[in-house]
Amino acid sequence: GIRIVPLTGLISVVSAWMARYLGPSLWGTFNYALALVILFGPLTKLGLETVVVHELVRTPGKRDEILGTTLFLRIAGGIVSFAGVIAVVALLRPGDTTSMLLVSIISFGMIFQAYYAVELFFQSGEQFKYPAVAKSASLVLSNLVKIVLILMKAPLAAFAAAAALETAAGAAFLVLAYRARGFRMSAWKTSRAQARELLNL
């Protein structure tokens, strides 16, 4: 299985190192931006998890249509989330270019969360190891990148990019796992009727 304790230890050590490197002010700004993006995260997912898994189990023959439509809806949700969090920063911190830059970079990465639709496919088949490995690999990658950035004395924006990388890498690893199982995203398609069904309209 996945060894969670060592991974948690790595994250804690890197976070403490980052906090020391950035200092209280920049560390606080970074976490403020990260918290705002996380707050808008649910808009990307649209609360579709349970519905999509149920539909995949109920109608496995419509897999490509369900997943393709889910991807489309989540990309739309990600764009709305991106615009929303940018608007909030502009409203709450007008003229704060640093927070705006950080939020823009991190929230752009959240759009890649749409590709976590693949995770729902694995959940429907109770193949939980693939998402677990993908997420663990993305966490390790992003934390290794953060270590390199600290050693390089990189600017604050670079750490925001590392946060975005974590989401993008997780999506990439999930897609690779999907392909390794013999499936192709190129077969996915969108359907207005399927979108209405998933959104319960």
Side-chain angles (χ1 to χ4, degrees), residues 44-55:
T44 304
K45 295 182 178 180
L46 296 174
L48 294 176
E49 293 89 342
T50 303
V51 176
V52 172
V53 171
H54 174 75
E55 286 299 307

Side-chain angles (χ1 to χ4, degrees), residues 155-198:
L156 183 57
F159 293 93
L165 172 66
E166 183 179 317
T167 306
F173 290 140
L174 280 168
V175 171
L176 287 173
Y178 187 73
R179 289 174 62 87
R181 296 279 290 114
F183 301 106
R184 294 290 178 269
M185 288 184 65
S186 57
W188 288 12
K189 54 188 176 182
T190 59
S191 162
R192 185 175 297 180
Q194 186 66 64
R196 288 200 191 99
E197 191 170 342
L198 293 176

Side-chain angles (χ1 to χ4, degrees), residues 110-134:
M110 292 293 285
I111 295 176
F112 289 99
Q113 200 173 63
Y115 288 87
Y116 280 58
V118 177
E119 181 180 5
L120 304 179
F121 163 74
F122 287 124
Q123 287 180 12
S124 70
E126 298 187 348
Q127 301 173 57
F128 302 108
K129 68 177 181 179
Y130 294 104
V133 170

Side-chain angles (χ1 to χ4, degrees), residues 7 15 32 40 97 122 128 170:
L7 185 56
S15 293
Y32 170 79
F40 276 79
T97 55
F122 287 124
F128 302 108

Side-chain angles (χ1 to χ4, degrees), residues 10-181:
L10 171 66
I11 295 169
S12 298
V13 169
V14 174
S15 293
W17 197 3
M18 265 185 67
R20 184 176 178 182
Y21 167 72
L22 294 174
S25 179
L26 292 181
W27 178 243
T29 302
F30 176 80
N31 280 288
Y32 170 79
L34 190 60
L36 265 183
V37 174
I38 291 173
L39 185 66
F40 276 79
L43 274 178
T44 304
K45 295 182 178 180
L46 296 174
L48 294 176
E49 293 89 342
T50 303
V51 176
V52 172
V53 171
H54 174 75
E55 286 299 307
L56 287 169
V57 172
R58 188 174 68 89
T59 54
K62 295 175 65 178
R63 179 191 67 238
D64 292 333
E65 185 176 321
I66 294 170
L67 292 175
T69 303
T70 301
L71 175 65
F72 174 79
L73 291 173
R74 284 189 161 187
I75 288 176
I79 293 171
V80 171
S81 176
F82 178 81
V85 73
I86 293 298
V88 167
V89 174
L91 182 65
L92 297 180
R93 294 196 171 185
D96 187 346
T97 55
T98 300
S99 291
M100 180 64 76
L101 177 62
L102 296 182
V103 165
S104 298
I105 294 171
I106 299 172
S107 59
F108 179 76
M110 292 293 285
I111 295 176
F112 289 99
Q113 200 173 63
Y115 288 87
Y116 280 58
V118 177
E119 181 180 5
L120 304 179
F121 163 74
F122 287 124
Q123 287 180 12
S124 70
E126 298 187 348
Q127 301 173 57
F128 302 108
K129 68 177 181 179
Y130 294 104
V133 170
K135 289 181 178 180
S136 296
S138 65
L139 275 170
V140 170
L141 177 61
S142 70
N143 278 278
L144 290 177
V145 169
K146 288 172 186 175
I147 291 173
V148 172
L149 292 176
I150 293 171
L151 294 175
M152 291 175 60
K153 301 188 183 302
L156 183 57
F159 293 93
L165 172 66
E166 183 179 317
T167 306
F173 290 140
L174 280 168
V175 171
L176 287 173
Y178 187 73
R179 289 174 62 87
R181 296 279 290 114

